[in-house]
Amino acid sequence: MATRRRIGAPDAKNRAVLLDAAERLMLEEGYAAVSSRRVARQAGLKPQLVHYYFRTMDELFLEVFRRRAEEGLREQARALAGDRPLRALWEFATQPEATGLTMEFAALANHRKSVRDEIARYAERFRAQEIQALTGVLERAGISADDCPPAAVAIFLTSLSRVVVMEKALGMSAGHDEAFAFVERRIHEIESGRQSVGAPSGRTGAPPPASG
Amino acid sequence: MATRRRIGAPDAKNRAVLLDAAERLMLEEGYAAVSSRRVARQAGLKPQLVHYYFRTMDELFLEVFRRRAEEGLREQARALAGDRPLRALWEFATQPEATGLTMEFAALANHRKSVRDEIARYAERFRAQEIQALTGVLERAGISADDCPPAAVAIFLTSLSRVVVMEKALGMSAGHDEAFAFVERRIHEIESGRQSVGAPSGRTGAPPPASG
DNA sequence: ACCGATGCTGAGCATTTGCCCAGCATTGCT
DNA sequence: AGCAATGCTGGGCAAATGCTCAGCATCGGT
């Protein structure tokens, strides 16, 4: 019962073309620009094809999201498995395209329950991966999880990159370089063996930490 | 010339009612829910009134934004003028309602140029205020601007709060408490006189800082 | 008593949207 | 040769949208 309508096969070529078109539209003009007609035009196909491959627009959005998310999870896992997980994670998080899309979906989630749930599910998987890797990294660097919980670090990294991407889209740039430099210095310190979470190496005239 | 259409006075009561309605809609259902009909229904007024007070929907959005932004600038200035500017700034930044609205506008900005420009202008004013205050705070705390630029701190604070608000809206919570605790500890350290940017006060069994 | 400004509204138009249906071609299987 | 599955499309409908216009009511000032 449910719906009798015939739906196209998941591996059909034009289905992927439509997904690509939707994704590009979303990035360049925001999710509100993603209508069946606009997507079709962008893809160079007829509008009905959208409904042939996707029961509803919600399903289109979900499919665009899932494709990226699955790929992202794999990519992140690969990054975290390397020998400089922190830096790799940072580079992964600062990809402007992926981050831009994520922000767009987050906004979409505000009024599409199905999208909200799916995003939340994947976001938790991403975060779990990060936390697991960060736990090891910080431990190895001798940083106590009490003082500096891996979960907090994960959130810092992703939030910084997200907001900077957002601000760049607005045409802003003030402070971006400074913030990035700060983070990158800290990453370098941690991964090159020098312990210290946020404390600058040179303390501006203050005596060096009484070590030993 | 331009437009002959008669527009209602800026101080008319129902104009404010419409702005309130639009704002509430935006927060609760996302900007896509803000149409002239929906706003009117939410306000308990007729749809044409929206067009009577606002030439275009863009203008409605801009007006909603400006109202909040102006009020926000004043509020932030007040907060930064107190004797615990850092903490006050943090509390200001973590107001969920205001932050939620900001995120929504940021998404809107993606396909409404007029909104984008206005947001950018105000965002820069906010940031300038923050940087100015933070410069003093960090200086007084003996933290070098080279190691830890005020602009970077400003971005950290706002980005964290923004993303946490966003995630909360998705129903997520993992790591939020840890991240907040981390920030709040650092704020406390700085404003209670104990210098140190990111280094945990208790270094995991290390002796307290040699004061004196 | 008059007039202009102001608040408001009924009616409507052109456009866009999501989605559906019936049906045509082609392809691959038997 | 026959048949089912699959890709695709012309045509369409009901709903929502932004925005306009002409006009009615009220009210403060003169």
Side-chain angles (χ1 to χ4, degrees), chain A residues 38-61:
Chain A
R38 297 265 275 143
V39 168
R41 202 184 319 153
Q42 172 91 16
L45 300 169
K46 308 273 168 150
Q48 303 96 309
L49 256 198
V50 174
H51 300 291
Y52 173 61
Y53 284 115
F54 309 95
R55 220 173 299 267
T56 64
M57 291 305 283
D58 265 46
E59 220 180 82
L60 207 212
F61 281 119

mmCIF file with all atom_site columns, all heavy atoms in Angstrom, chain A residues 38-61:
data_model
loop_
_atom_site.group_PDB
_atom_site.id
_atom_site.type_symbol
_atom_site.label_atom_id
_atom_site.label_alt_id
_atom_site.label_comp_id
_atom_site.label_asym_id
_atom_site.label_entity_id
_atom_site.label_seq_id
_atom_site.pdbx_PDB_ins_code
_atom_site.Cartn_x
_atom_site.Cartn_y
_atom_site.Cartn_z
_atom_site.occupancy
_atom_site.B_iso_or_equiv
_atom_site.pdbx_formal_charge
_atom_site.auth_seq_id
_atom_site.auth_comp_id
_atom_site.auth_asym_id
_atom_site.auth_atom_id
_atom_site.pdbx_PDB_model_num
ATOM 1   N N   . ARG A 1 38 ? 14.076 23.946 -9.766  1.00 0.00 ? 38 ARG A N   1
ATOM 2   C CA  . ARG A 1 38 ? 15.429 24.518 -9.816  1.00 0.00 ? 38 ARG A CA  1
ATOM 3   C C   . ARG A 1 38 ? 16.482 23.434 -9.934  1.00 0.00 ? 38 ARG A C   1
ATOM 4   O O   . ARG A 1 38 ? 17.444 23.568 -10.695 1.00 0.00 ? 38 ARG A O   1
ATOM 5   C CB  . ARG A 1 38 ? 15.693 25.349 -8.559  1.00 0.00 ? 38 ARG A CB  1
ATOM 6   C CG  . ARG A 1 38 ? 14.779 26.544 -8.407  1.00 0.00 ? 38 ARG A CG  1
ATOM 7   C CD  . ARG A 1 38 ? 15.405 27.800 -8.946  1.00 0.00 ? 38 ARG A CD  1
ATOM 8   N NE  . ARG A 1 38 ? 16.261 28.447 -7.971  1.00 0.00 ? 38 ARG A NE  1
ATOM 9   C CZ  . ARG A 1 38 ? 17.394 29.048 -8.298  1.00 0.00 ? 38 ARG A CZ  1
ATOM 10  N NH1 . ARG A 1 38 ? 17.821 29.007 -9.541  1.00 0.00 ? 38 ARG A NH1 1
ATOM 11  N NH2 . ARG A 1 38 ? 18.095 29.661 -7.381  1.00 0.00 ? 38 ARG A NH2 1
ATOM 12  N N   . VAL A 1 39 ? 16.299 22.377 -9.176  1.00 0.00 ? 39 VAL A N   1
ATOM 13  C CA  . VAL A 1 39 ? 17.262 21.277 -9.234  1.00 0.00 ? 39 VAL A CA  1
ATOM 14  C C   . VAL A 1 39 ? 17.325 20.709 -10.641 1.00 0.00 ? 39 VAL A C   1
ATOM 15  O O   . VAL A 1 39 ? 18.404 20.500 -11.198 1.00 0.00 ? 39 VAL A O   1
ATOM 16  C CB  . VAL A 1 39 ? 16.874 20.163 -8.236  1.00 0.00 ? 39 VAL A CB  1
ATOM 17  C CG1 . VAL A 1 39 ? 17.699 18.911 -8.501  1.00 0.00 ? 39 VAL A CG1 1
ATOM 18  C CG2 . VAL A 1 39 ? 17.086 20.637 -6.810  1.00 0.00 ? 39 VAL A CG2 1
ATOM 19  N N   . ALA A 1 40 ? 16.159 20.492 -11.210 1.00 0.00 ? 40 ALA A N   1
ATOM 20  C CA  . ALA A 1 40 ? 16.110 19.916 -12.555 1.00 0.00 ? 40 ALA A CA  1
ATOM 21  C C   . ALA A 1 40 ? 16.806 20.843 -13.555 1.00 0.00 ? 40 ALA A C   1
ATOM 22  O O   . ALA A 1 40 ? 17.605 20.394 -14.381 1.00 0.00 ? 40 ALA A O   1
ATOM 23  C CB  . ALA A 1 40 ? 14.668 19.682 -12.960 1.00 0.00 ? 40 ALA A CB  1
ATOM 24  N N   . ARG A 1 41 ? 16.503 22.128 -13.464 1.00 0.00 ? 41 ARG A N   1
ATOM 25  C CA  . ARG A 1 41 ? 17.112 23.069 -14.387 1.00 0.00 ? 41 ARG A CA  1
ATOM 26  C C   . ARG A 1 41 ? 18.635 23.014 -14.258 1.00 0.00 ? 41 ARG A C   1
ATOM 27  O O   . ARG A 1 41 ? 19.368 22.961 -15.235 1.00 0.00 ? 41 ARG A O   1
ATOM 28  C CB  . ARG A 1 41 ? 16.609 24.491 -14.112 1.00 0.00 ? 41 ARG A CB  1
ATOM 29  C CG  . ARG A 1 41 ? 16.760 25.411 -15.314 1.00 0.00 ? 41 ARG A CG  1
ATOM 30  C CD  . ARG A 1 41 ? 16.340 26.839 -14.974 1.00 0.00 ? 41 ARG A CD  1
ATOM 31  N NE  . ARG A 1 41 ? 15.143 26.848 -14.136 1.00 0.00 ? 41 ARG A NE  1
ATOM 32  C CZ  . ARG A 1 41 ? 14.829 27.814 -13.281 1.00 0.00 ? 41 ARG A CZ  1
ATOM 33  N NH1 . ARG A 1 41 ? 15.630 28.843 -13.142 1.00 0.00 ? 41 ARG A NH1 1
ATOM 34  N NH2 . ARG A 1 41 ? 13.726 27.744 -12.558 1.00 0.00 ? 41 ARG A NH2 1
ATOM 35  N N   . GLN A 1 42 ? 19.083 23.035 -13.005 1.00 0.00 ? 42 GLN A N   1
ATOM 36  C CA  . GLN A 1 42 ? 20.520 22.990 -12.738 1.00 0.00 ? 42 GLN A CA  1
ATOM 37  C C   . GLN A 1 42 ? 21.144 21.714 -13.313 1.00 0.00 ? 42 GLN A C   1
ATOM 38  O O   . GLN A 1 42 ? 22.282 21.720 -13.768 1.00 0.00 ? 42 GLN A O   1
ATOM 39  C CB  . GLN A 1 42 ? 20.746 23.041 -11.220 1.00 0.00 ? 42 GLN A CB  1
ATOM 40  C CG  . GLN A 1 42 ? 22.165 22.809 -10.779 1.00 0.00 ? 42 GLN A CG  1
ATOM 41  C CD  . GLN A 1 42 ? 22.946 24.114 -10.671 1.00 0.00 ? 42 GLN A CD  1
ATOM 42  O OE1 . GLN A 1 42 ? 22.388 25.202 -10.642 1.00 0.00 ? 42 GLN A OE1 1
ATOM 43  N NE2 . GLN A 1 42 ? 24.249 23.993 -10.618 1.00 0.00 ? 42 GLN A NE2 1
ATOM 44  N N   . ALA A 1 43 ? 20.380 20.653 -13.286 1.00 0.00 ? 43 ALA A N   1
ATOM 45  C CA  . ALA A 1 43 ? 20.898 19.370 -13.750 1.00 0.00 ? 43 ALA A CA  1
ATOM 46  C C   . ALA A 1 43 ? 20.726 19.210 -15.258 1.00 0.00 ? 43 ALA A C   1
ATOM 47  O O   . ALA A 1 43 ? 21.262 18.279 -15.861 1.00 0.00 ? 43 ALA A O   1
ATOM 48  C CB  . ALA A 1 43 ? 20.204 18.226 -13.019 1.00 0.00 ? 43 ALA A CB  1
ATOM 49  N N   . GLY A 1 44 ? 19.943 20.097 -15.852 1.00 0.00 ? 44 GLY A N   1
ATOM 50  C CA  . GLY A 1 44 ? 19.676 19.971 -17.275 1.00 0.00 ? 44 GLY A CA  1
ATOM 51  C C   . GLY A 1 44 ? 18.701 18.846 -17.567 1.00 0.00 ? 44 GLY A C   1
ATOM 52  O O   . GLY A 1 44 ? 18.761 18.212 -18.618 1.00 0.00 ? 44 GLY A O   1
ATOM 53  N N   . LEU A 1 45 ? 17.815 18.585 -16.633 1.00 0.00 ? 45 LEU A N   1
ATOM 54  C CA  . LEU A 1 45 ? 16.830 17.507 -16.800 1.00 0.00 ? 45 LEU A CA  1
ATOM 55  C C   . LEU A 1 45 ? 15.421 18.040 -16.555 1.00 0.00 ? 45 LEU A C   1
ATOM 56  O O   . LEU A 1 45 ? 15.246 19.195 -16.174 1.00 0.00 ? 45 LEU A O   1
ATOM 57  C CB  . LEU A 1 45 ? 17.141 16.383 -15.812 1.00 0.00 ? 45 LEU A CB  1
ATOM 58  C CG  . LEU A 1 45 ? 18.523 15.733 -15.971 1.00 0.00 ? 45 LEU A CG  1
ATOM 59  C CD1 . LEU A 1 45 ? 18.841 14.837 -14.782 1.00 0.00 ? 45 LEU A CD1 1
ATOM 60  C CD2 . LEU A 1 45 ? 18.582 14.942 -17.267 1.00 0.00 ? 45 LEU A CD2 1
ATOM 61  N N   . LYS A 1 46 ? 14.436 17.198 -16.774 1.00 0.00 ? 46 LYS A N   1
ATOM 62  C CA  . LYS A 1 46 ? 13.049 17.629 -16.576 1.00 0.00 ? 46 LYS A CA  1
ATOM 63  C C   . LYS A 1 46 ? 12.660 17.526 -15.100 1.00 0.00 ? 46 LYS A C   1
ATOM 64  O O   . LYS A 1 46 ? 13.072 16.592 -14.409 1.00 0.00 ? 46 LYS A O   1
ATOM 65  C CB  . LYS A 1 46 ? 12.103 16.751 -17.404 1.00 0.00 ? 46 LYS A CB  1
ATOM 66  C CG  . LYS A 1 46 ? 12.504 16.650 -18.863 1.00 0.00 ? 46 LYS A CG  1
ATOM 67  C CD  . LYS A 1 46 ? 11.905 17.790 -19.672 1.00 0.00 ? 46 LYS A CD  1
ATOM 68  C CE  . LYS A 1 46 ? 12.552 17.846 -21.049 1.00 0.00 ? 46 LYS A CE  1
ATOM 69  N NZ  . LYS A 1 46 ? 11.665 18.369 -22.088 1.00 0.00 ? 46 LYS A NZ  1
ATOM 70  N N   . PRO A 1 47 ? 11.837 18.455 -14.660 1.00 0.00 ? 47 PRO A N   1
ATOM 71  C CA  . PRO A 1 47 ? 11.448 18.513 -13.253 1.00 0.00 ? 47 PRO A CA  1
ATOM 72  C C   . PRO A 1 47 ? 10.831 17.217 -12.729 1.00 0.00 ? 47 PRO A C   1
ATOM 73  O O   . PRO A 1 47 ? 11.040 16.851 -11.571 1.00 0.00 ? 47 PRO A O   1
ATOM 74  C CB  . PRO A 1 47 ? 10.400 19.628 -13.221 1.00 0.00 ? 47 PRO A CB  1
ATOM 75  C CG  . PRO A 1 47 ? 10.722 20.475 -14.386 1.00 0.00 ? 47 PRO A CG  1
ATOM 76  C CD  . PRO A 1 47 ? 11.265 19.558 -15.429 1.00 0.00 ? 47 PRO A CD  1
ATOM 77  N N   . GLN A 1 48 ? 10.085 16.529 -13.553 1.00 0.00 ? 48 GLN A N   1
ATOM 78  C CA  . GLN A 1 48 ? 9.413  15.334 -13.043 1.00 0.00 ? 48 GLN A CA  1
ATOM 79  C C   . GLN A 1 48 ? 10.389 14.243 -12.640 1.00 0.00 ? 48 GLN A C   1
ATOM 80  O O   . GLN A 1 48 ? 10.082 13.377 -11.847 1.00 0.00 ? 48 GLN A O   1
ATOM 81  C CB  . GLN A 1 48 ? 8.452  14.763 -14.090 1.00 0.00 ? 48 GLN A CB  1
ATOM 82  C CG  . GLN A 1 48 ? 7.409  15.732 -14.552 1.00 0.00 ? 48 GLN A CG  1
ATOM 83  C CD  . GLN A 1 48 ? 7.844  16.406 -15.827 1.00 0.00 ? 48 GLN A CD  1
ATOM 84  O OE1 . GLN A 1 48 ? 8.952  16.929 -15.919 1.00 0.00 ? 48 GLN A OE1 1
ATOM 85  N NE2 . GLN A 1 48 ? 6.969  16.402 -16.817 1.00 0.00 ? 48 GLN A NE2 1
ATOM 86  N N   . LEU A 1 49 ? 11.589 14.325 -13.223 1.00 0.00 ? 49 LEU A N   1
ATOM 87  C CA  . LEU A 1 49 ? 12.589 13.309 -12.890 1.00 0.00 ? 49 LEU A CA  1
ATOM 88  C C   . LEU A 1 49 ? 12.923 13.353 -11.401 1.00 0.00 ? 49 LEU A C   1
ATOM 89  O O   . LEU A 1 49 ? 13.201 12.318 -10.786 1.00 0.00 ? 49 LEU A O   1
ATOM 90  C CB  . LEU A 1 49 ? 13.859 13.540 -13.704 1.00 0.00 ? 49 LEU A CB  1
ATOM 91  C CG  . LEU A 1 49 ? 14.074 12.594 -14.871 1.00 0.00 ? 49 LEU A CG  1
ATOM 92  C CD1 . LEU A 1 49 ? 15.528 12.629 -15.288 1.00 0.00 ? 49 LEU A CD1 1
ATOM 93  C CD2 . LEU A 1 49 ? 13.670 11.179 -14.498 1.00 0.00 ? 49 LEU A CD2 1
ATOM 94  N N   . VAL A 1 50 ? 12.880 14.549 -10.838 1.00 0.00 ? 50 VAL A N   1
ATOM 95  C CA  . VAL A 1 50 ? 13.166 14.680 -9.415  1.00 0.00 ? 50 VAL A CA  1
ATOM 96  C C   . VAL A 1 50 ? 12.189 13.820 -8.613  1.00 0.00 ? 50 VAL A C   1
ATOM 97  O O   . VAL A 1 50 ? 12.576 13.068 -7.726  1.00 0.00 ? 50 VAL A O   1
ATOM 98  C CB  . VAL A 1 50 ? 13.068 16.149 -8.967  1.00 0.00 ? 50 VAL A CB  1
ATOM 99  C CG1 . VAL A 1 50 ? 13.229 16.264 -7.453  1.00 0.00 ? 50 VAL A CG1 1
ATOM 100 C CG2 . VAL A 1 50 ? 14.114 16.978 -9.676  1.00 0.00 ? 50 VAL A CG2 1
ATOM 101 N N   . HIS A 1 51 ? 10.926 13.915 -8.992  1.00 0.00 ? 51 HIS A N   1
ATOM 102 C CA  . HIS A 1 51 ? 9.911  13.164 -8.257  1.00 0.00 ? 51 HIS A CA  1
ATOM 103 C C   . HIS A 1 51 ? 9.909  11.684 -8.647  1.00 0.00 ? 51 HIS A C   1
ATOM 104 O O   . HIS A 1 51 ? 9.343  10.866 -7.959  1.00 0.00 ? 51 HIS A O   1
ATOM 105 C CB  . HIS A 1 51 ? 8.531  13.766 -8.506  1.00 0.00 ? 51 HIS A CB  1
ATOM 106 C CG  . HIS A 1 51 ? 8.444  15.191 -8.076  1.00 0.00 ? 51 HIS A CG  1
ATOM 107 N ND1 . HIS A 1 51 ? 8.475  15.556 -6.755  1.00 0.00 ? 51 HIS A ND1 1
ATOM 108 C CD2 . HIS A 1 51 ? 8.357  16.339 -8.777  1.00 0.00 ? 51 HIS A CD2 1
ATOM 109 C CE1 . HIS A 1 51 ? 8.388  16.895 -6.675  1.00 0.00 ? 51 HIS A CE1 1
ATOM 110 N NE2 . HIS A 1 51 ? 8.333  17.376 -7.892  1.00 0.00 ? 51 HIS A NE2 1
ATOM 111 N N   . TYR A 1 52 ? 10.522 11.422 -9.769  1.00 0.00 ? 52 TYR A N   1
ATOM 112 C CA  . TYR A 1 52 ? 10.632 10.016 -10.163 1.00 0.00 ? 52 TYR A CA  1
ATOM 113 C C   . TYR A 1 52 ? 11.663 9.305  -9.290  1.00 0.00 ? 52 TYR A C   1
ATOM 114 O O   . TYR A 1 52 ? 11.502 8.163  -8.914  1.00 0.00 ? 52 TYR A O   1
ATOM 115 C CB  . TYR A 1 52 ? 11.017 9.913  -11.635 1.00 0.00 ? 52 TYR A CB  1
ATOM 116 C CG  . TYR A 1 52 ? 11.313 8.507  -12.094 1.00 0.00 ? 52 TYR A CG  1
ATOM 117 C CD1 . TYR A 1 52 ? 10.338 7.507  -12.031 1.00 0.00 ? 52 TYR A CD1 1
ATOM 118 C CD2 . TYR A 1 52 ? 12.570 8.174  -12.575 1.00 0.00 ? 52 TYR A CD2 1
ATOM 119 C CE1 . TYR A 1 52 ? 10.604 6.216  -12.458 1.00 0.00 ? 52 TYR A CE1 1
ATOM 120 C CE2 . TYR A 1 52 ? 12.846 6.888  -13.000 1.00 0.00 ? 52 TYR A CE2 1
ATOM 121 C CZ  . TYR A 1 52 ? 11.862 5.908  -12.926 1.00 0.00 ? 52 TYR A CZ  1
ATOM 122 O OH  . TYR A 1 52 ? 12.135 4.632  -13.344 1.00 0.00 ? 52 TYR A OH  1
ATOM 123 N N   . TYR A 1 53 ? 12.709 10.016 -8.937  1.00 0.00 ? 53 TYR A N   1
ATOM 124 C CA  . TYR A 1 53 ? 13.765 9.382  -8.146  1.00 0.00 ? 53 TYR A CA  1
ATOM 125 C C   . TYR A 1 53 ? 13.620 9.601  -6.644  1.00 0.00 ? 53 TYR A C   1
ATOM 126 O O   . TYR A 1 53 ? 14.188 8.852  -5.856  1.00 0.00 ? 53 TYR A O   1
ATOM 127 C CB  . TYR A 1 53 ? 15.143 9.882  -8.599  1.00 0.00 ? 53 TYR A CB  1
ATOM 128 C CG  . TYR A 1 53 ? 15.580 9.249  -9.893  1.00 0.00 ? 53 TYR A CG  1
ATOM 129 C CD1 . TYR A 1 53 ? 15.758 10.000 -11.043 1.00 0.00 ? 53 TYR A CD1 1
ATOM 130 C CD2 . TYR A 1 53 ? 15.811 7.869  -9.961  1.00 0.00 ? 53 TYR A CD2 1
ATOM 131 C CE1 . TYR A 1 53 ? 16.157 9.410  -12.228 1.00 0.00 ? 53 TYR A CE1 1
ATOM 132 C CE2 . TYR A 1 53 ? 16.196 7.271  -11.147 1.00 0.00 ? 53 TYR A CE2 1
ATOM 133 C CZ  . TYR A 1 53 ? 16.368 8.048  -12.277 1.00 0.00 ? 53 TYR A CZ  1
ATOM 134 O OH  . TYR A 1 53 ? 16.755 7.452  -13.440 1.00 0.00 ? 53 TYR A OH  1
ATOM 135 N N   . PHE A 1 54 ? 12.863 10.633 -6.291  1.00 0.00 ? 54 PHE A N   1
ATOM 136 C CA  . PHE A 1 54 ? 12.693 10.915 -4.858  1.00 0.00 ? 54 PHE A CA  1
ATOM 137 C C   . PHE A 1 54 ? 11.227 11.142 -4.539  1.00 0.00 ? 54 PHE A C   1
ATOM 138 O O   . PHE A 1 54 ? 10.592 12.016 -5.120  1.00 0.00 ? 54 PHE A O   1
ATOM 139 C CB  . PHE A 1 54 ? 13.536 12.121 -4.455  1.00 0.00 ? 54 PHE A CB  1
ATOM 140 C CG  . PHE A 1 54 ? 14.967 12.012 -4.895  1.00 0.00 ? 54 PHE A CG  1
ATOM 141 C CD1 . PHE A 1 54 ? 15.387 12.590 -6.088  1.00 0.00 ? 54 PHE A CD1 1
ATOM 142 C CD2 . PHE A 1 54 ? 15.877 11.290 -4.137  1.00 0.00 ? 54 PHE A CD2 1
ATOM 143 C CE1 . PHE A 1 54 ? 16.698 12.463 -6.512  1.00 0.00 ? 54 PHE A CE1 1
ATOM 144 C CE2 . PHE A 1 54 ? 17.196 11.162 -4.556  1.00 0.00 ? 54 PHE A CE2 1
ATOM 145 C CZ  . PHE A 1 54 ? 17.610 11.751 -5.751  1.00 0.00 ? 54 PHE A CZ  1
ATOM 146 N N   . ARG A 1 55 ? 10.735 10.346 -3.627  1.00 0.00 ? 55 ARG A N   1
ATOM 147 C CA  . ARG A 1 55 ? 9.315  10.385 -3.301  1.00 0.00 ? 55 ARG A CA  1
ATOM 148 C C   . ARG A 1 55 ? 8.902  11.804 -2.891  1.00 0.00 ? 55 ARG A C   1
ATOM 149 O O   . ARG A 1 55 ? 7.858  12.294 -3.282  1.00 0.00 ? 55 ARG A O   1
ATOM 150 C CB  . ARG A 1 55 ? 9.029  9.400  -2.166  1.00 0.00 ? 55 ARG A CB  1
ATOM 151 C CG  . ARG A 1 55 ? 7.744  8.616  -2.303  1.00 0.00 ? 55 ARG A CG  1
ATOM 152 C CD  . ARG A 1 55 ? 7.644  7.554  -1.228  1.00 0.00 ? 55 ARG A CD  1
ATOM 153 N NE  . ARG A 1 55 ? 8.752  6.597  -1.332  1.00 0.00 ? 55 ARG A NE  1
ATOM 154 C CZ  . ARG A 1 55 ? 8.678  5.445  -2.015  1.00 0.00 ? 55 ARG A CZ  1
ATOM 155 N NH1 . ARG A 1 55 ? 7.557  5.112  -2.629  1.00 0.00 ? 55 ARG A NH1 1
ATOM 156 N NH2 . ARG A 1 55 ? 9.706  4.638  -2.056  1.00 0.00 ? 55 ARG A NH2 1
ATOM 157 N N   . THR A 1 56 ? 9.733  12.422 -2.056  1.00 0.00 ? 56 THR A N   1
ATOM 158 C CA  . THR A 1 56 ? 9.451  13.783 -1.599  1.00 0.00 ? 56 THR A CA  1
ATOM 159 C C   . THR A 1 56 ? 10.743 14.595 -1.607  1.00 0.00 ? 56 THR A C   1
ATOM 160 O O   . THR A 1 56 ? 11.837 14.039 -1.734  1.00 0.00 ? 56 THR A O   1
ATOM 161 C CB  . THR A 1 56 ? 8.918  13.788 -0.154  1.00 0.00 ? 56 THR A CB  1
ATOM 162 O OG1 . THR A 1 56 ? 9.951  13.297 0.691   1.00 0.00 ? 56 THR A OG1 1
ATOM 163 C CG2 . THR A 1 56 ? 7.673  12.918 -0.019  1.00 0.00 ? 56 THR A CG2 1
ATOM 164 N N   . MET A 1 57 ? 10.630 15.866 -1.454  1.00 0.00 ? 57 MET A N   1
ATOM 165 C CA  . MET A 1 57 ? 11.820 16.720 -1.383  1.00 0.00 ? 57 MET A CA  1
ATOM 166 C C   . MET A 1 57 ? 12.648 16.380 -0.142  1.00 0.00 ? 57 MET A C   1
ATOM 167 O O   . MET A 1 57 ? 13.871 16.457 -0.161  1.00 0.00 ? 57 MET A O   1
ATOM 168 C CB  . MET A 1 57 ? 11.418 18.195 -1.380  1.00 0.00 ? 57 MET A CB  1
ATOM 169 C CG  . MET A 1 57 ? 10.847 18.682 -2.701  1.00 0.00 ? 57 MET A CG  1
ATOM 170 S SD  . MET A 1 57 ? 11.935 18.374 -4.104  1.00 0.00 ? 57 MET A SD  1
ATOM 171 C CE  . MET A 1 57 ? 13.144 19.671 -3.890  1.00 0.00 ? 57 MET A CE  1
ATOM 172 N N   . ASP A 1 58 ? 11.955 16.030 0.915   1.00 0.00 ? 58 ASP A N   1
ATOM 173 C CA  . ASP A 1 58 ? 12.668 15.602 2.117   1.00 0.00 ? 58 ASP A CA  1
ATOM 174 C C   . ASP A 1 58 ? 13.649 14.485 1.791   1.00 0.00 ? 58 ASP A C   1
ATOM 175 O O   . ASP A 1 58 ? 14.783 14.470 2.257   1.00 0.00 ? 58 ASP A O   1
ATOM 176 C CB  . ASP A 1 58 ? 11.661 15.096 3.158   1.00 0.00 ? 58 ASP A CB  1
ATOM 177 C CG  . ASP A 1 58 ? 11.272 16.188 4.137   1.00 0.00 ? 58 ASP A CG  1
ATOM 178 O OD1 . ASP A 1 58 ? 10.987 17.304 3.664   1.00 0.00 ? 58 ASP A OD1 1
ATOM 179 O OD2 . ASP A 1 58 ? 11.271 15.923 5.347   1.00 0.00 ? 58 ASP A OD2 1
ATOM 180 N N   . GLU A 1 59 ? 13.161 13.550 0.978   1.00 0.00 ? 59 GLU A N   1
ATOM 181 C CA  . GLU A 1 59 ? 14.018 12.421 0.656   1.00 0.00 ? 59 GLU A CA  1
ATOM 182 C C   . GLU A 1 59 ? 15.221 12.879 -0.160  1.00 0.00 ? 59 GLU A C   1
ATOM 183 O O   . GLU A 1 59 ? 16.323 12.361 0.010   1.00 0.00 ? 59 GLU A O   1
ATOM 184 C CB  . GLU A 1 59 ? 13.207 11.378 -0.111  1.00 0.00 ? 59 GLU A CB  1
ATOM 185 C CG  . GLU A 1 59 ? 13.543 9.969  0.326   1.00 0.00 ? 59 GLU A CG  1
ATOM 186 C CD  . GLU A 1 59 ? 12.729 8.957  -0.439  1.00 0.00 ? 59 GLU A CD  1
ATOM 187 O OE1 . GLU A 1 59 ? 13.097 8.609  -1.581  1.00 0.00 ? 59 GLU A OE1 1
ATOM 188 O OE2 . GLU A 1 59 ? 11.709 8.507  0.123   1.00 0.00 ? 59 GLU A OE2 1
ATOM 189 N N   . LEU A 1 60 ? 15.013 13.819 -1.026  1.00 0.00 ? 60 LEU A N   1
ATOM 190 C CA  . LEU A 1 60 ? 16.134 14.382 -1.790  1.00 0.00 ? 60 LEU A CA  1
ATOM 191 C C   . LEU A 1 60 ? 17.175 14.952 -0.830  1.00 0.00 ? 60 LEU A C   1
ATOM 192 O O   . LEU A 1 60 ? 18.353 14.620 -0.902  1.00 0.00 ? 60 LEU A O   1
ATOM 193 C CB  . LEU A 1 60 ? 15.616 15.502 -2.698  1.00 0.00 ? 60 LEU A CB  1
ATOM 194 C CG  . LEU A 1 60 ? 16.338 15.856 -3.987  1.00 0.00 ? 60 LEU A CG  1
ATOM 195 C CD1 . LEU A 1 60 ? 16.209 17.331 -4.306  1.00 0.00 ? 60 LEU A CD1 1
ATOM 196 C CD2 . LEU A 1 60 ? 17.797 15.454 -4.000  1.00 0.00 ? 60 LEU A CD2 1
ATOM 197 N N   . PHE A 1 61 ? 16.715 15.803 0.062   1.00 0.00 ? 61 PHE A N   1
ATOM 198 C CA  . PHE A 1 61 ? 17.634 16.415 1.022   1.00 0.00 ? 61 PHE A CA  1
ATOM 199 C C   . PHE A 1 61 ? 18.383 15.346 1.812   1.00 0.00 ? 61 PHE A C   1
ATOM 200 O O   . PHE A 1 61 ? 19.605 15.401 1.973   1.00 0.00 ? 61 PHE A O   1
ATOM 201 C CB  . PHE A 1 61 ? 16.864 17.324 1.980   1.00 0.00 ? 61 PHE A CB  1
ATOM 202 C CG  . PHE A 1 61 ? 16.527 18.666 1.405   1.00 0.00 ? 61 PHE A CG  1
ATOM 203 C CD1 . PHE A 1 61 ? 15.211 19.081 1.269   1.00 0.00 ? 61 PHE A CD1 1
ATOM 204 C CD2 . PHE A 1 61 ? 17.535 19.535 0.991   1.00 0.00 ? 61 PHE A CD2 1
ATOM 205 C CE1 . PHE A 1 61 ? 14.901 20.332 0.737   1.00 0.00 ? 61 PHE A CE1 1
ATOM 206 C CE2 . PHE A 1 61 ? 17.233 20.781 0.463   1.00 0.00 ? 61 PHE A CE2 1
ATOM 207 C CZ  . PHE A 1 61 ? 15.908 21.169 0.333   1.00 0.00 ? 61 PHE A CZ  1
#
